[in-house]
């Protein structure tokens, strides 16, 4: 949890500095231009206002983000860590090549696994084809998450890459929702590929 909180604070650093600068400018206008106080006397108060604005901004947003992320992790039975802050949230599944299965067949199997899953709330399938599956899922706190799954097959390996990001750009701070959804999709993808591999072995 501490690692996640520190990662959130680092992500908010630039926005906090901008907020602090705005507070400092406002204080400067009020003291120097409004009250006519010399800049040398007003400087300490201006700097204090800027620092306070930045700290309050970072503290409030980071705390609310961490609380929400903690609830998300608990709901999905996951352990929250700094990797949950990264966007897009990327997960990979790699296994030995599945003989007799094309990328399209494997993608179709993944689509059925997601559609039937009781945890993943499917909102829309936006793309489906040869090795491509794009979905919009309703994550925790009703956050819409765009999920892109890419399946590749080769003579030695079958791989699936899952990428999840907020469907709305203003939800970028809700990275934990994308991370949680990506983790669940990763598990379902792994299960579906293992089932296809077992069926392929049984058919030989």
């Amino acid at each position: 949890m501490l690692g996640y909180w520190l990662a959130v604070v680092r992500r908010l650093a630039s926005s906090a500095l901008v907020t602090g600068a705005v507070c400092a400018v406002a204080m400067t206008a009020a003291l120097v231009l409004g009250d006519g106080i010399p800049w040398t006397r007003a400087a300490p108060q201006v700097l204090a206002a800027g620092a306070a604005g930045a700290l309050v901004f970072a503290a409030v947003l980071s705390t609310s983000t961490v609380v929400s992320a903690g609830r998300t992790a608990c709901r999905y039975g996951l352990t929250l860590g700094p990797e949950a802050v990264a966007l897009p949230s990327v997960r990979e599944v790699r296994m030995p090549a599945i003989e007799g299965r094309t990328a399209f067949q494997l993608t179709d199997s993944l689509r059925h696994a997601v559609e039937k899953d009781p945890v993943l709330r499917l909102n829309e399938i936006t793309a489906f084809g040869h090795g491509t599956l794009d979905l919009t899922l309703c994550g925790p706190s009703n956050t819409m998450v765009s999920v892109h799954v890419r399946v590749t097959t080769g003579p030695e390996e079958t791989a699936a890459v899952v990428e999840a990001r907020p469907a709305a750009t203003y939800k970028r701070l809700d990275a934990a929702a994308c991370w949680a959804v990506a983790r669940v999709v990763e598990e379902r993808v792994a299960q579906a590929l293992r089932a296809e591999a077992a069926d392929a072995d049984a058919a030989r």
Side-chain angles (χ1 to χ4, degrees):
M1 184 73 78
L2 178 61
Y4 179 81
W5 180 78
L6 291 174
V8 170
V9 170
R10 284 194 295 270
R11 168 167 282 186
L12 291 173
S14 58
S15 299
L17 289 175
V18 170
T19 301
V22 171
C23 293
V25 169
M27 183 62 77
T28 300
L31 295 178
V32 177
L33 301 179
D35 297 341
I37 298 175
W39 167 249
T40 52
R41 286 177 51 200
Q45 297 179 62
V46 169
L47 293 175
L55 287 173
V56 169
F57 175 87
V60 171
L61 267 186
S62 63
T63 300
S64 62
T65 300
V66 170
V67 169
S68 175
R71 290 173 180 165
T72 295
C74 183
R75 175 181 175 183
Y76 286 87
L78 303 172
T79 301
L80 195 62
E83 71 280 0
V85 174
L87 283 177
S89 183
V90 180
R91 311 294 300 182
E92 292 186 6
V93 177
R94 297 184 180 276
M95 60 188 305
I98 303 174
E99 295 184 11
R101 296 293 191 275
T102 65
F104 181 85
Q105 289 173 314
L106 296 177
T107 306
D108 188 47
S109 179
L110 303 184
R111 178 177 64 87
H112 284 299
V114 171
E115 287 177 335
K116 296 176 182 177
D117 191 86
V119 175
L120 297 171
R121 294 181 291 165
L122 178 63
N123 183 67
E124 182 183 13
I125 296 177
T126 54
F128 170 63
H130 189 81
T132 300
L133 180 62
D134 293 349
L135 315 157
T136 302
L137 300 170
C138 187
S141 302
N142 292 323
T143 299
M144 288 298 174
V145 179
S146 293
V147 178
H148 309 282
V149 183
R150 300 293 177 265
V151 180
T152 57
T153 58
E156 301 295 332
E157 183 182 64
T158 296
V161 179
V162 179
E163 289 190 11
R165 67 186 76 220
T169 54
Y170 71 90
K171 285 282 193 178
R172 286 185 61 81
L173 278 179
D174 202 1
C178 299
W179 166 76
V181 168
R183 289 284 302 271
V184 176
V185 172
E186 175 196 15
E187 292 176 4
R188 302 305 177 261
V189 166
Q191 291 169 359
L193 292 181
R194 284 195 295 267
E196 287 289 341
D199 288 346
D201 290 341
R204 281 189 293 177

